[in-house]
Structure formats: structure tokens, C-alpha cells
Amino acid sequence: MFFDVEWEHVFLQLRFGDQYPVLSRPGLDPARLDLYMLAMRLSLVAGPLRLLDGDFPHRAVMREISEHNAKEALALVVS
């Protein structure tokens, strides 16, 4: 499956955190990066919440992941 290069770089930012600048490249669209970061954060809220609807055994971990990403998503919208 192929996504926009900005989508891939948002994933790399989330995955590698402080080490991401080594992987970054010039010419990426900042508006698309912002949109995709919001979309990815919201996805990381929705996924754990779906697991919490069932009988997933590690509920506290999923709740923490969901809450963390909800805060990150809200920070993106406010800023």
C-alpha cells in the first residue's frame, strides 16, 4: 500500500521521536504533515478505544495510549 510521502514521514516522526531529524527531507508540505499528524493521533485514540469495548486483557495500557494521543491531538488543534 502506498501513501503520500508526508504520511510516511508523520509515521517516522511518531516512531523515531527525537531521532527523526536524521530521516527528514526538504520539500515536505507542512500543511499535509499537520493534517496527517492529526489523523494519525486520532487513529491512535480510536484503535485502543475499540479494544476497550471488548475483553482486551491489558485495559490500563490501552487507556493510557488513548489518553496520551487524545491530549496530543487536542494540542495540535489548539496550537
Side-chain angles (χ1 to χ4, degrees), residues 28-77:
L28 296 174
D29 184 343
R32 291 170 78 94
L33 289 168
D34 291 345
L35 174 65
Y36 292 149
M37 181 61 79
L38 178 61
M40 204 166 287
R41 290 290 185 186
L42 292 175
S43 176
L44 289 168
V45 172
L49 289 178
R50 279 193 296 271
L51 289 174
L52 289 174
D53 279 342
D55 60 350
F56 190 78
H58 306 290
R59 302 180 69 72
V61 173
M62 288 300 115
R63 194 173 302 111
E64 288 174 16
I65 291 170
S66 182
E67 288 173 1
H68 170 77
N69 285 289
K71 289 176 188 173
E72 293 292 325
L74 287 173
L76 292 171
V77 174

mmCIF file of all heavy atoms in Angstrom, residues 28-77:
data_model
loop_
_atom_site.group_PDB
_atom_site.id
_atom_site.type_symbol
_atom_site.label_atom_id
_atom_site.label_comp_id
_atom_site.label_asym_id
_atom_site.label_seq_id
_atom_site.Cartn_x
_atom_site.Cartn_y
_atom_site.Cartn_z
ATOM 1 N N LEU A 28 8.889 18.730 2.065
ATOM 2 C CA LEU A 28 7.638 18.169 2.543
ATOM 3 C C LEU A 28 6.641 19.302 2.803
ATOM 4 O O LEU A 28 7.020 20.369 3.279
ATOM 5 C CB LEU A 28 7.859 17.358 3.818
ATOM 6 C CG LEU A 28 8.745 16.120 3.671
ATOM 7 C CD1 LEU A 28 9.001 15.492 5.025
ATOM 8 C CD2 LEU A 28 8.125 15.117 2.716
ATOM 9 N N ASP A 29 5.383 19.059 2.486
ATOM 10 C CA ASP A 29 4.330 20.062 2.649
ATOM 11 C C ASP A 29 3.929 20.164 4.123
ATOM 12 O O ASP A 29 3.360 19.213 4.676
ATOM 13 C CB ASP A 29 3.131 19.670 1.794
ATOM 14 C CG ASP A 29 2.011 20.687 1.820
ATOM 15 O OD1 ASP A 29 1.976 21.548 2.714
ATOM 16 O OD2 ASP A 29 1.150 20.608 0.919
ATOM 17 N N PRO A 30 4.184 21.302 4.784
ATOM 18 C CA PRO A 30 3.878 21.418 6.210
ATOM 19 C C PRO A 30 2.390 21.271 6.529
ATOM 20 O O PRO A 30 2.035 20.712 7.566
ATOM 21 C CB PRO A 30 4.380 22.808 6.597
ATOM 22 C CG PRO A 30 5.047 23.377 5.415
ATOM 23 C CD PRO A 30 4.830 22.487 4.245
ATOM 24 N N ALA A 31 1.519 21.746 5.647
ATOM 25 C CA ALA A 31 0.076 21.623 5.893
ATOM 26 C C ALA A 31 -0.348 20.154 5.860
ATOM 27 O O ALA A 31 -1.153 19.710 6.687
ATOM 28 C CB ALA A 31 -0.701 22.430 4.863
ATOM 29 N N ARG A 32 0.196 19.395 4.928
ATOM 30 C CA ARG A 32 -0.123 17.967 4.858
ATOM 31 C C ARG A 32 0.449 17.223 6.059
ATOM 32 O O ARG A 32 -0.186 16.325 6.606
ATOM 33 C CB ARG A 32 0.404 17.371 3.560
ATOM 34 C CG ARG A 32 -0.330 17.868 2.333
ATOM 35 C CD ARG A 32 0.375 17.451 1.065
ATOM 36 N NE ARG A 32 0.115 16.067 0.741
ATOM 37 C CZ ARG A 32 -0.852 15.660 -0.076
ATOM 38 N NH1 ARG A 32 -1.631 16.542 -0.653
ATOM 39 N NH2 ARG A 32 -1.018 14.393 -0.325
ATOM 40 N N LEU A 33 1.650 17.595 6.486
ATOM 41 C CA LEU A 33 2.230 16.975 7.679
ATOM 42 C C LEU A 33 1.334 17.213 8.887
ATOM 43 O O LEU A 33 1.086 16.292 9.676
ATOM 44 C CB LEU A 33 3.636 17.525 7.941
ATOM 45 C CG LEU A 33 4.726 17.088 6.964
ATOM 46 C CD1 LEU A 33 5.982 17.931 7.170
ATOM 47 C CD2 LEU A 33 5.043 15.608 7.109
ATOM 48 N N ASP A 34 0.843 18.439 9.041
ATOM 49 C CA ASP A 34 -0.047 18.754 10.167
ATOM 50 C C ASP A 34 -1.337 17.947 10.104
ATOM 51 O O ASP A 34 -1.790 17.393 11.114
ATOM 52 C CB ASP A 34 -0.369 20.246 10.194
ATOM 53 C CG ASP A 34 0.817 21.111 10.554
ATOM 54 O OD1 ASP A 34 1.826 20.584 11.065
ATOM 55 O OD2 ASP A 34 0.732 22.340 10.321
ATOM 56 N N LEU A 35 -1.946 17.891 8.915
ATOM 57 C CA LEU A 35 -3.191 17.139 8.756
ATOM 58 C C LEU A 35 -2.977 15.659 9.056
ATOM 59 O O LEU A 35 -3.759 15.044 9.791
ATOM 60 C CB LEU A 35 -3.734 17.310 7.333
ATOM 61 C CG LEU A 35 -4.956 16.459 7.000
ATOM 62 C CD1 LEU A 35 -6.150 16.872 7.841
ATOM 63 C CD2 LEU A 35 -5.259 16.531 5.519
ATOM 64 N N TYR A 36 -1.929 15.088 8.511
ATOM 65 C CA TYR A 36 -1.672 13.667 8.725
ATOM 66 C C TYR A 36 -1.293 13.365 10.173
ATOM 67 O O TYR A 36 -1.624 12.288 10.685
ATOM 68 C CB TYR A 36 -0.597 13.161 7.769
ATOM 69 C CG TYR A 36 -1.038 13.130 6.323
ATOM 70 C CD1 TYR A 36 -0.128 13.329 5.305
ATOM 71 C CD2 TYR A 36 -2.360 12.886 5.973
ATOM 72 C CE1 TYR A 36 -0.521 13.288 3.972
ATOM 73 C CE2 TYR A 36 -2.759 12.850 4.654
ATOM 74 C CZ TYR A 36 -1.842 13.044 3.658
ATOM 75 O OH TYR A 36 -2.227 13.001 2.343
ATOM 76 N N MET A 37 -0.615 14.286 10.840
ATOM 77 C CA MET A 37 -0.308 14.071 12.255
ATOM 78 C C MET A 37 -1.596 14.024 13.069
ATOM 79 O O MET A 37 -1.767 13.165 13.942
ATOM 80 C CB MET A 37 0.632 15.154 12.783
ATOM 81 C CG MET A 37 1.011 14.966 14.242
ATOM 82 S SD MET A 37 1.901 13.420 14.596
ATOM 83 C CE MET A 37 3.538 13.858 14.053
ATOM 84 N N LEU A 38 -2.518 14.945 12.775
ATOM 85 C CA LEU A 38 -3.801 14.928 13.470
ATOM 86 C C LEU A 38 -4.540 13.625 13.185
ATOM 87 O O LEU A 38 -5.061 12.985 14.105
ATOM 88 C CB LEU A 38 -4.641 16.141 13.060
ATOM 89 C CG LEU A 38 -6.030 16.216 13.685
ATOM 90 C CD1 LEU A 38 -5.944 16.295 15.211
ATOM 91 C CD2 LEU A 38 -6.794 17.406 13.114
ATOM 92 N N ALA A 39 -4.582 13.211 11.930
ATOM 93 C CA ALA A 39 -5.272 11.970 11.569
ATOM 94 C C ALA A 39 -4.653 10.758 12.265
ATOM 95 O O ALA A 39 -5.373 9.884 12.766
ATOM 96 C CB ALA A 39 -5.238 11.777 10.055
ATOM 97 N N MET A 40 -3.338 10.716 12.329
ATOM 98 C CA MET A 40 -2.674 9.579 12.957
ATOM 99 C C MET A 40 -2.919 9.576 14.465
ATOM 100 O O MET A 40 -3.167 8.517 15.047
ATOM 101 C CB MET A 40 -1.182 9.573 12.640
ATOM 102 C CG MET A 40 -0.589 8.194 12.742
ATOM 103 S SD MET A 40 1.046 8.018 12.016
ATOM 104 C CE MET A 40 0.689 8.075 10.274
ATOM 105 N N ARG A 41 -2.878 10.745 15.084
ATOM 106 C CA ARG A 41 -3.158 10.821 16.530
ATOM 107 C C ARG A 41 -4.586 10.372 16.824
ATOM 108 O O ARG A 41 -4.828 9.634 17.782
ATOM 109 C CB ARG A 41 -2.935 12.244 17.050
ATOM 110 C CG ARG A 41 -1.494 12.665 17.094
ATOM 111 C CD ARG A 41 -0.741 11.929 18.164
ATOM 112 N NE ARG A 41 0.623 12.437 18.260
ATOM 113 C CZ ARG A 41 1.536 11.897 19.024
ATOM 114 N NH1 ARG A 41 1.263 10.859 19.768
ATOM 115 N NH2 ARG A 41 2.751 12.389 19.055
ATOM 116 N N LEU A 42 -5.542 10.814 16.005
ATOM 117 C CA LEU A 42 -6.929 10.405 16.220
ATOM 118 C C LEU A 42 -7.097 8.900 16.019
ATOM 119 O O LEU A 42 -7.869 8.262 16.736
ATOM 120 C CB LEU A 42 -7.864 11.192 15.299
ATOM 121 C CG LEU A 42 -7.974 12.682 15.623
ATOM 122 C CD1 LEU A 42 -8.818 13.378 14.563
ATOM 123 C CD2 LEU A 42 -8.516 12.922 17.017
ATOM 124 N N SER A 43 -6.374 8.342 15.076
ATOM 125 C CA SER A 43 -6.404 6.900 14.877
ATOM 126 C C SER A 43 -5.851 6.170 16.099
ATOM 127 O O SER A 43 -6.349 5.102 16.476
ATOM 128 C CB SER A 43 -5.586 6.539 13.638
ATOM 129 O OG SER A 43 -5.517 5.155 13.481
ATOM 130 N N LEU A 44 -4.843 6.764 16.732
ATOM 131 C CA LEU A 44 -4.252 6.157 17.927
ATOM 132 C C LEU A 44 -5.106 6.387 19.170
ATOM 133 O O LEU A 44 -4.804 5.868 20.242
ATOM 134 C CB LEU A 44 -2.836 6.693 18.138
ATOM 135 C CG LEU A 44 -1.823 6.190 17.109
ATOM 136 C CD1 LEU A 44 -0.520 6.988 17.212
ATOM 137 C CD2 LEU A 44 -1.563 4.706 17.286
ATOM 138 N N VAL A 45 -6.163 7.144 19.044
ATOM 139 C CA VAL A 45 -7.186 7.233 20.089
ATOM 140 C C VAL A 45 -8.252 6.177 19.812
ATOM 141 O O VAL A 45 -8.652 5.427 20.700
ATOM 142 C CB VAL A 45 -7.823 8.645 20.136
ATOM 143 C CG1 VAL A 45 -9.016 8.669 21.079
ATOM 144 C CG2 VAL A 45 -6.797 9.689 20.546
ATOM 145 N N ALA A 46 -8.708 6.123 18.571
ATOM 146 C CA ALA A 46 -9.820 5.237 18.206
ATOM 147 C C ALA A 46 -9.472 3.755 18.343
ATOM 148 O O ALA A 46 -10.301 2.975 18.838
ATOM 149 C CB ALA A 46 -10.269 5.535 16.784
ATOM 150 N N GLY A 47 -8.281 3.379 17.920
ATOM 151 C CA GLY A 47 -7.904 1.963 17.975
ATOM 152 C C GLY A 47 -7.953 1.385 19.383
ATOM 153 O O GLY A 47 -8.636 0.375 19.615
ATOM 154 N N PRO A 48 -7.271 2.004 20.346
ATOM 155 C CA PRO A 48 -7.342 1.488 21.714
ATOM 156 C C PRO A 48 -8.749 1.524 22.302
ATOM 157 O O PRO A 48 -9.134 0.626 23.050
ATOM 158 C CB PRO A 48 -6.409 2.427 22.488
ATOM 159 C CG PRO A 48 -5.422 2.882 21.470
ATOM 160 C CD PRO A 48 -6.218 3.016 20.207
ATOM 161 N N LEU A 49 -9.541 2.539 21.942
ATOM 162 C CA LEU A 49 -10.913 2.588 22.457
ATOM 163 C C LEU A 49 -11.742 1.423 21.930
ATOM 164 O O LEU A 49 -12.582 0.876 22.656
ATOM 165 C CB LEU A 49 -11.577 3.916 22.095
ATOM 166 C CG LEU A 49 -11.055 5.140 22.850
ATOM 167 C CD1 LEU A 49 -11.756 6.406 22.370
ATOM 168 C CD2 LEU A 49 -11.197 4.979 24.353
ATOM 169 N N ARG A 50 -11.511 1.030 20.673
ATOM 170 C CA ARG A 50 -12.217 -0.146 20.134
ATOM 171 C C ARG A 50 -11.834 -1.404 20.914
ATOM 172 O O ARG A 50 -12.681 -2.257 21.177
ATOM 173 C CB ARG A 50 -11.914 -0.315 18.656
ATOM 174 C CG ARG A 50 -12.745 0.588 17.765
ATOM 175 C CD ARG A 50 -12.659 0.175 16.310
ATOM 176 N NE ARG A 50 -11.335 0.306 15.753
ATOM 177 C CZ ARG A 50 -10.846 1.406 15.177
ATOM 178 N NH1 ARG A 50 -11.589 2.482 15.087
ATOM 179 N NH2 ARG A 50 -9.627 1.433 14.690
ATOM 180 N N LEU A 51 -10.560 -1.515 21.272
ATOM 181 C CA LEU A 51 -10.137 -2.677 22.066
ATOM 182 C C LEU A 51 -10.784 -2.665 23.446
ATOM 183 O O LEU A 51 -11.108 -3.720 23.997
ATOM 184 C CB LEU A 51 -8.615 -2.704 22.195
ATOM 185 C CG LEU A 51 -7.851 -3.060 20.933
ATOM 186 C CD1 LEU A 51 -6.351 -2.910 21.166
ATOM 187 C CD2 LEU A 51 -8.177 -4.460 20.469
ATOM 188 N N LEU A 52 -10.972 -1.478 24.005
ATOM 189 C CA LEU A 52 -11.589 -1.379 25.326
ATOM 190 C C LEU A 52 -13.069 -1.743 25.304
ATOM 191 O O LEU A 52 -13.648 -2.047 26.346
ATOM 192 C CB LEU A 52 -11.402 0.032 25.895
ATOM 193 C CG LEU A 52 -9.971 0.374 26.313
ATOM 194 C CD1 LEU A 52 -9.867 1.830 26.713
ATOM 195 C CD2 LEU A 52 -9.498 -0.536 27.434
ATOM 196 N N ASP A 53 -13.699 -1.709 24.141
ATOM 197 C CA ASP A 53 -15.093 -2.147 24.024
ATOM 198 C C ASP A 53 -15.230 -3.647 24.204
ATOM 199 O O ASP A 53 -16.308 -4.138 24.524
ATOM 200 C CB ASP A 53 -15.680 -1.747 22.661
ATOM 201 C CG ASP A 53 -16.127 -0.308 22.619
ATOM 202 O OD1 ASP A 53 -16.305 0.296 23.688
ATOM 203 O OD2 ASP A 53 -16.297 0.222 21.503
ATOM 204 N N GLY A 54 -14.146 -4.372 23.977
ATOM 205 C CA GLY A 54 -14.172 -5.830 24.110
ATOM 206 C C GLY A 54 -13.571 -6.274 25.430
ATOM 207 O O GLY A 54 -13.587 -5.552 26.423
ATOM 208 N N ASP A 55 -12.993 -7.453 25.398
ATOM 209 C CA ASP A 55 -12.433 -8.020 26.630
ATOM 210 C C ASP A 55 -10.904 -8.044 26.588
ATOM 211 O O ASP A 55 -10.271 -8.965 27.100
ATOM 212 C CB ASP A 55 -12.992 -9.421 26.873
ATOM 213 C CG ASP A 55 -12.673 -10.383 25.746
ATOM 214 O OD1 ASP A 55 -12.179 -9.930 24.695
ATOM 215 O OD2 ASP A 55 -12.929 -11.590 25.918
ATOM 216 N N PHE A 56 -10.310 -7.013 26.003
ATOM 217 C CA PHE A 56 -8.855 -6.919 25.925
ATOM 218 C C PHE A 56 -8.272 -6.965 27.333
ATOM 219 O O PHE A 56 -8.718 -6.230 28.216
ATOM 220 C CB PHE A 56 -8.451 -5.616 25.218
ATOM 221 C CG PHE A 56 -6.991 -5.549 24.883
ATOM 222 C CD1 PHE A 56 -6.475 -6.226 23.807
ATOM 223 C CD2 PHE A 56 -6.125 -4.792 25.666
ATOM 224 C CE1 PHE A 56 -5.127 -6.170 23.487
ATOM 225 C CE2 PHE A 56 -4.775 -4.720 25.369
ATOM 226 C CZ PHE A 56 -4.276 -5.415 24.276
ATOM 227 N N PRO A 57 -7.281 -7.812 27.585
ATOM 228 C CA PRO A 57 -6.802 -8.022 28.954
ATOM 229 C C PRO A 57 -5.977 -6.867 29.538
ATOM 230 O O PRO A 57 -5.974 -6.670 30.751
ATOM 231 C CB PRO A 57 -5.959 -9.291 28.852
ATOM 232 C CG PRO A 57 -5.539 -9.363 27.423
ATOM 233 C CD PRO A 57 -6.644 -8.717 26.629
ATOM 234 N N HIS A 58 -5.291 -6.107 28.731
ATOM 235 C CA HIS A 58 -4.413 -5.051 29.250
ATOM 236 C C HIS A 58 -5.078 -3.685 29.091
ATOM 237 O O HIS A 58 -4.603 -2.809 28.378
ATOM 238 C CB HIS A 58 -3.061 -5.092 28.534
ATOM 239 C CG HIS A 58 -2.419 -6.436 28.581
ATOM 240 N ND1 HIS A 58 -1.916 -6.971 29.747
ATOM 241 C CD2 HIS A 58 -2.230 -7.368 27.621
ATOM 242 C CE1 HIS A 58 -1.430 -8.174 29.494
ATOM 243 N NE2 HIS A 58 -1.617 -8.442 28.213
ATOM 244 N N ARG A 59 -6.161 -3.505 29.786
ATOM 245 C CA ARG A 59 -7.008 -2.332 29.620
ATOM 246 C C ARG A 59 -6.304 -1.034 30.010
ATOM 247 O O ARG A 59 -6.458 -0.015 29.347
ATOM 248 C CB ARG A 59 -8.301 -2.517 30.402
ATOM 249 C CG ARG A 59 -9.065 -3.765 29.946
ATOM 250 C CD ARG A 59 -10.348 -3.979 30.708
ATOM 251 N NE ARG A 59 -11.368 -2.980 30.408
ATOM 252 C CZ ARG A 59 -12.041 -2.912 29.267
ATOM 253 N NH1 ARG A 59 -11.797 -3.783 28.304
ATOM 254 N NH2 ARG A 59 -12.955 -1.993 29.090
ATOM 255 N N ALA A 60 -5.534 -1.066 31.059
ATOM 256 C CA ALA A 60 -4.869 0.155 31.526
ATOM 257 C C ALA A 60 -3.907 0.690 30.471
ATOM 258 O O ALA A 60 -3.829 1.908 30.252
ATOM 259 C CB ALA A 60 -4.144 -0.100 32.843
ATOM 260 N N VAL A 61 -3.196 -0.187 29.814
ATOM 261 C CA VAL A 61 -2.246 0.221 28.777
ATOM 262 C C VAL A 61 -2.981 0.884 27.620
ATOM 263 O O VAL A 61 -2.580 1.944 27.132
ATOM 264 C CB VAL A 61 -1.416 -0.983 28.283
ATOM 265 C CG1 VAL A 61 -0.552 -0.603 27.104
ATOM 266 C CG2 VAL A 61 -0.580 -1.550 29.406
ATOM 267 N N MET A 62 -4.074 0.271 27.167
ATOM 268 C CA MET A 62 -4.843 0.840 26.054
ATOM 269 C C MET A 62 -5.448 2.188 26.455
ATOM 270 O O MET A 62 -5.490 3.115 25.658
ATOM 271 C CB MET A 62 -5.951 -0.110 25.610
ATOM 272 C CG MET A 62 -5.442 -1.319 24.871
ATOM 273 S SD MET A 62 -4.546 -0.879 23.365
ATOM 274 C CE MET A 62 -2.914 -1.440 23.767
ATOM 275 N N ARG A 63 -5.893 2.291 27.679
ATOM 276 C CA ARG A 63 -6.448 3.563 28.161
ATOM 277 C C ARG A 63 -5.378 4.645 28.164
ATOM 278 O O ARG A 63 -5.617 5.780 27.738
ATOM 279 C CB ARG A 63 -7.037 3.377 29.562
ATOM 280 C CG ARG A 63 -7.915 4.524 30.007
ATOM 281 C CD ARG A 63 -8.627 4.257 31.329
ATOM 282 N NE ARG A 63 -9.465 3.058 31.273
ATOM 283 C CZ ARG A 63 -9.194 1.923 31.931
ATOM 284 N NH1 ARG A 63 -8.136 1.826 32.691
ATOM 285 N NH2 ARG A 63 -10.001 0.894 31.828
ATOM 286 N N GLU A 64 -4.173 4.304 28.605
ATOM 287 C CA GLU A 64 -3.068 5.271 28.612
ATOM 288 C C GLU A 64 -2.695 5.711 27.200
ATOM 289 O O GLU A 64 -2.456 6.901 26.960
ATOM 290 C CB GLU A 64 -1.844 4.669 29.303
ATOM 291 C CG GLU A 64 -1.984 4.532 30.802
ATOM 292 C CD GLU A 64 -0.800 3.795 31.419
ATOM 293 O OE1 GLU A 64 0.252 3.664 30.763
ATOM 294 O OE2 GLU A 64 -0.945 3.349 32.570
ATOM 295 N N ILE A 65 -2.636 4.776 26.276
ATOM 296 C CA ILE A 65 -2.315 5.113 24.887
ATOM 297 C C ILE A 65 -3.372 6.054 24.319
ATOM 298 O O ILE A 65 -3.054 7.068 23.688
ATOM 299 C CB ILE A 65 -2.185 3.833 24.032
ATOM 300 C CG1 ILE A 65 -0.943 3.057 24.442
ATOM 301 C CG2 ILE A 65 -2.159 4.166 22.542
ATOM 302 C CD1 ILE A 65 -0.851 1.661 23.831
ATOM 303 N N SER A 66 -4.621 5.729 24.558
ATOM 304 C CA SER A 66 -5.720 6.548 24.051
ATOM 305 C C SER A 66 -5.687 7.948 24.664
ATOM 306 O O SER A 66 -5.820 8.950 23.956
ATOM 307 C CB SER A 66 -7.053 5.862 24.350
ATOM 308 O OG SER A 66 -8.101 6.624 23.836
ATOM 309 N N GLU A 67 -5.508 8.042 25.961
ATOM 310 C CA GLU A 67 -5.477 9.340 26.632
ATOM 311 C C GLU A 67 -4.288 10.181 26.179
ATOM 312 O O GLU A 67 -4.424 11.385 25.950
ATOM 313 C CB GLU A 67 -5.452 9.146 28.148
ATOM 314 C CG GLU A 67 -6.774 8.651 28.715
ATOM 315 C CD GLU A 67 -6.699 8.295 30.180
ATOM 316 O OE1 GLU A 67 -5.617 8.441 30.806
ATOM 317 O OE2 GLU A 67 -7.733 7.851 30.723
ATOM 318 N N HIS A 68 -3.132 9.569 26.057
ATOM 319 C CA HIS A 68 -1.944 10.293 25.603
ATOM 320 C C HIS A 68 -2.170 10.892 24.212
ATOM 321 O O HIS A 68 -1.888 12.068 23.969
ATOM 322 C CB HIS A 68 -0.721 9.372 25.587
ATOM 323 C CG HIS A 68 0.463 9.963 24.911
ATOM 324 N ND1 HIS A 68 1.250 10.922 25.518
ATOM 325 C CD2 HIS A 68 0.978 9.771 23.675
ATOM 326 C CE1 HIS A 68 2.211 11.285 24.669
ATOM 327 N NE2 HIS A 68 2.067 10.593 23.543
ATOM 328 N N ASN A 69 -2.682 10.081 23.304
ATOM 329 C CA ASN A 69 -2.877 10.560 21.940
ATOM 330 C C ASN A 69 -4.030 11.548 21.828
ATOM 331 O O ASN A 69 -4.000 12.427 20.969
ATOM 332 C CB ASN A 69 -3.037 9.379 20.987
ATOM 333 C CG ASN A 69 -1.701 8.731 20.737
ATOM 334 O OD1 ASN A 69 -0.848 9.293 20.065
ATOM 335 N ND2 ASN A 69 -1.479 7.570 21.311
ATOM 336 N N ALA A 70 -5.024 11.442 22.693
ATOM 337 C CA ALA A 70 -6.096 12.444 22.710
ATOM 338 C C ALA A 70 -5.524 13.802 23.124
ATOM 339 O O ALA A 70 -5.843 14.833 22.513
ATOM 340 C CB ALA A 70 -7.211 12.019 23.672
ATOM 341 N N LYS A 71 -4.662 13.815 24.133
ATOM 342 C CA LYS A 71 -4.027 15.063 24.560
ATOM 343 C C LYS A 71 -3.145 15.648 23.445
ATOM 344 O O LYS A 71 -3.148 16.842 23.203
ATOM 345 C CB LYS A 71 -3.182 14.838 25.818
ATOM 346 C CG LYS A 71 -4.021 14.592 27.057
ATOM 347 C CD LYS A 71 -3.141 14.281 28.244
ATOM 348 C CE LYS A 71 -3.995 13.852 29.427
ATOM 349 N NZ LYS A 71 -3.186 13.377 30.546
ATOM 350 N N GLU A 72 -2.408 14.772 22.764
ATOM 351 C CA GLU A 72 -1.559 15.225 21.663
ATOM 352 C C GLU A 72 -2.391 15.788 20.513
ATOM 353 O O GLU A 72 -2.030 16.797 19.910
ATOM 354 C CB GLU A 72 -0.674 14.078 21.170
ATOM 355 C CG GLU A 72 0.367 13.615 22.171
ATOM 356 C CD GLU A 72 1.458 14.628 22.442
ATOM 357 O OE1 GLU A 72 1.839 15.346 21.510
ATOM 358 O OE2 GLU A 72 1.916 14.682 23.597
ATOM 359 N N ALA A 73 -3.504 15.146 20.209
ATOM 360 C CA ALA A 73 -4.395 15.614 19.132
ATOM 361 C C ALA A 73 -5.000 16.964 19.503
ATOM 362 O O ALA A 73 -5.049 17.883 18.666
ATOM 363 C CB ALA A 73 -5.486 14.600 18.858
ATOM 364 N N LEU A 74 -5.439 17.114 20.732
ATOM 365 C CA LEU A 74 -6.004 18.397 21.177
ATOM 366 C C LEU A 74 -4.957 19.505 21.137
ATOM 367 O O LEU A 74 -5.266 20.641 20.764
ATOM 368 C CB LEU A 74 -6.574 18.268 22.585
ATOM 369 C CG LEU A 74 -7.890 17.478 22.672
ATOM 370 C CD1 LEU A 74 -8.266 17.259 24.126
ATOM 371 C CD2 LEU A 74 -8.995 18.198 21.917
ATOM 372 N N ALA A 75 -3.729 19.184 21.478
ATOM 373 C CA ALA A 75 -2.657 20.186 21.428
ATOM 374 C C ALA A 75 -2.422 20.642 19.997
ATOM 375 O O ALA A 75 -2.103 21.813 19.759
ATOM 376 C CB ALA A 75 -1.378 19.612 22.038
ATOM 377 N N LEU A 76 -2.576 19.748 19.032
ATOM 378 C CA LEU A 76 -2.407 20.123 17.629
ATOM 379 C C LEU A 76 -3.519 21.063 17.176
ATOM 380 O O LEU A 76 -3.268 21.996 16.413
ATOM 381 C CB LEU A 76 -2.414 18.872 16.747
ATOM 382 C CG LEU A 76 -1.232 17.931 16.880
ATOM 383 C CD1 LEU A 76 -1.495 16.645 16.112
ATOM 384 C CD2 LEU A 76 0.043 18.597 16.399
ATOM 385 N N VAL A 77 -4.729 20.828 17.645
ATOM 386 C CA VAL A 77 -5.871 21.640 17.226
ATOM 387 C C VAL A 77 -5.804 23.019 17.863
ATOM 388 O O VAL A 77 -6.121 24.013 17.219
ATOM 389 C CB VAL A 77 -7.200 20.929 17.597
ATOM 390 C CG1 VAL A 77 -8.386 21.811 17.310
ATOM 391 C CG2 VAL A 77 -7.321 19.619 16.833
#
